[in-house]
Amino acid sequence: MTAPPPPTGTVAARLRPWHFILAFGIVSLLADMVYEGARSIIGPYLATLGASATLVGVVAGAGEFIGYGLRVVTGYATVRTRHYWTWTIVGYALTVLSVPLIGVTGMLAPALLLYGTERLGKAVRSPAKDTLLSYASASTGRGSAFGVHQALDQTGAVLGPLLLAAVLGWRDGDYALAFGVLIVPGALVLALLLWLRHRVPDPLVYEQPERASTAPAERADAAGAPGDVVTRTPSGRPPLPGRFWFYVAVIAVLSIGTASFPLLAFHAQSHGLLPDALVPILFAVAMLVDGASGLVVGRAYDRFGARVLLLIPAAALASAIAFTDDVALLWIGVAVWGLVSGVLDSTVKAVVTELVSSGSRAIAFGWLAFARGFGLLLAGAALGFAYDRGAVWLVIAMVAANVLGFAGLLVVLRRMASPAAAARGR
């Protein structure tokens, strides 16, 4: 069975590239109000249902693995079918329909199942969504496009938790209402997606003018690095290059060294540092920093290159101060955690556009997400387990992962500076 032919680009886009990126950013803003709003209170909510720190850590890690790790499957499916809009819309629908139901269950197992379904929605849509954005970014700057999208995305991640903080401040402990109000931005997500699909049925047209100039990059991708053994996949696509595989391994290691917010929120509540209504505000602060860091670091990436990613391990280690019993350090540490999250969720994707040709990009985004999700799964289980045994063990695990990740990034930078990688970046 062969893959369908690529889009011809004959259907003109009725939005300029930046307008498309901004509109998609608004979609993500509304969607983030839904699922990041849920993530801001899922830890304390599970605690009310009798969950331990280890279980919260495992649930957070498993949820992230579903949301990130399964993208490798949907990435291949997206490339094979090339139904980018279908995958995107179905994925968002799974999320916005699952979240409002979490709070009405009142039992641990159904809540966990619905949280997993919400994460599955993220896995279904993300490779297709990132590919659509990558087409529009051809003429806007790769880092800038993903950075602006991340900034809008995280604006929703601020508004959602603030909305839930207001709800819980008004109705203390009413998680059913808190989750239920998220159906409103969810409905807006689906309406805006359908409008955007109508306006730009084939976003590949944004990249058509670039295809002649990217032909050398396609050939370099097919040739691989010096010493690589190059073959062709059954579909005729060149394999993903060795530099890419090493890069995703480094991102996995860095993800292992980053604690999840549900574990941070569990710490804040279990140590009596914050009341329930302030936990979503804590998350909103993190998401505000997340969005700003994606925008700033994305622009810095366009100017200074991938070495800006060296910021990740240093900031991840600094975020460990959130696991103290000092309220001020908790807020600072969570803000720093937001910076790490912002870079890992936005700027790291820009590197993929330099390492992988456009025809294999959805698959590459899927594998990158798998690496991130696998790292977060291990982080959730290992750091949650370490936390139950003492904060010192948690810090030791974070230090080990980030030192190893820093060394890996140095190797990535050296490989990207090679002549073959430089040719790909032009």
Side-chain angles (χ1 to χ4, degrees):
M1 181 176 180
T2 60
T8 61
T10 58
V11 181
R14 286 180 280 176
L15 288 175
R16 295 180 182 273
W18 267 122
H19 293 167
F20 180 82
I21 291 167
L22 292 173
F24 230 121
I26 295 173
V27 169
S28 291
L29 183 155
L30 293 167
D32 264 43
M33 289 185 67
V34 177
Y35 66 82
E36 297 291 23
R39 191 156 69 113
S40 72
I41 61 174
I42 192 68
Y45 176 60
L46 293 179
T48 67
L49 301 180
S52 65
T54 299
L55 180 58
V56 170
V58 170
V59 167
E64 296 302 334
F65 180 73
I66 292 171
Y68 285 101
L70 294 184
R71 294 184 204 182
V72 68
V73 178
T74 58
Y76 277 103
T78 298
V79 168
R80 177 168 291 276
T81 65
R82 298 190 183 275
H83 295 157
Y84 298 112
W85 280 117
T86 300
W87 288 98
T88 300
I89 293 170
V90 169
Y92 275 112
L94 280 173
T95 290
V96 301
L97 294 176
S98 298
V99 167
L101 297 176
I102 293 176
V104 303
T105 61
M107 293 183 291
L108 190 58
L112 296 180
L113 179 62
L114 286 167
Y115 185 67
T117 304
E118 181 277 309
R119 294 285 87 189
L120 177 62
K122 193 171 181 67
V124 168
R125 69 178 177 264
S126 290
K129 179 202 71 176
D130 289 339
T131 303
L132 294 176
L133 287 169
S134 76
Y135 292 150
S137 73
S139 60
T140 64
R142 304 294 192 183
S144 295
F146 281 105
V148 167
H149 178 267
Q150 178 74 359
L152 288 168
D153 183 88
Q154 296 312 112
T155 299
V158 173
L159 296 177
L162 289 179
L163 174 62
L164 298 196
V167 172
L168 291 174
W170 173 47
R171 298 281 296 272
D172 186 32
D174 193 345
Y175 284 99
L177 179 61
F179 282 103
V181 298
L182 297 175
I183 197 170
V184 176
L188 294 175
V189 165
L190 297 181
L192 184 54
L193 271 175
L194 293 175
W195 174 83
L196 196 55
R197 165 68 176 82
H198 174 71
R199 296 289 293 179
V200 189
D202 181 13
L204 183 58
V205 298
Y206 292 130
E207 201 165 86
Q208 290 300 324
E210 303 288 323
R211 295 191 70 81
S213 63
T214 57
E218 301 278 349
R219 290 193 294 271
D221 192 47
D228 283 351
V229 176
V230 178
T231 58
R232 288 271 173 176
T233 63
S235 65
R237 291 187 304 272
L240 298 173
R243 280 182 294 267
F244 168 78
W245 291 114
F246 186 84
Y247 175 65
V248 298
V250 172
I251 297 302
V253 172
L254 290 171
S255 297
I256 294 172
T258 306
S260 66
F261 183 80
L263 185 59
L264 290 164
F266 183 94
H267 169 77
Q269 188 191 56
S270 63
H271 282 65
L273 301 178
L274 294 177
D276 288 351
L278 278 183
V279 172
I281 295 179
L282 179 70
F283 187 74
V285 169
M287 293 299 97
L288 183 64
V289 176
D290 184 317
S293 65
L295 180 60
V296 173
V297 178
R299 292 183 66 85
Y301 177 91
D302 287 337
R303 182 173 180 181
F304 302 109
R307 61 180 178 272
V308 299
L309 297 183
L310 293 173
L311 177 67
I312 296 174
L317 288 179
S319 71
I321 63 174
F323 289 101
T324 66
D325 290 332
D326 187 293
V327 175
L329 292 181
L330 170 68
W331 286 89
I332 295 171
V334 170
V336 175
W337 173 87
L339 185 152
V340 177
S341 179
V343 177
L344 283 173
D345 285 338
S346 61
T347 312
V348 296
K349 298 175 185 176
V351 176
V352 174
T353 66
E354 296 191 43
L355 297 178
V356 179
S357 61
S358 62
S360 301
R361 208 169 286 159
I363 292 174
F365 283 132
W367 278 112
L368 176 67
F370 180 88
R372 177 119 162 84
F374 184 71
L376 290 172
L377 174 63
L378 294 181
L383 298 184
F385 181 81
Y387 178 87
D388 274 339
R389 279 144 189 80
V392 173
W393 290 105
L394 181 144
V395 172
I396 289 174
M398 291 179 68
V399 168
N402 282 287
V403 168
L404 184 60
F406 182 84
L409 280 177
L410 292 177
V411 176
V412 169
L413 292 174
R414 185 167 61 249
R415 291 186 175 187
M416 289 184 70
S418 69
R424 181 175 291 105
R426 284 196 295 267

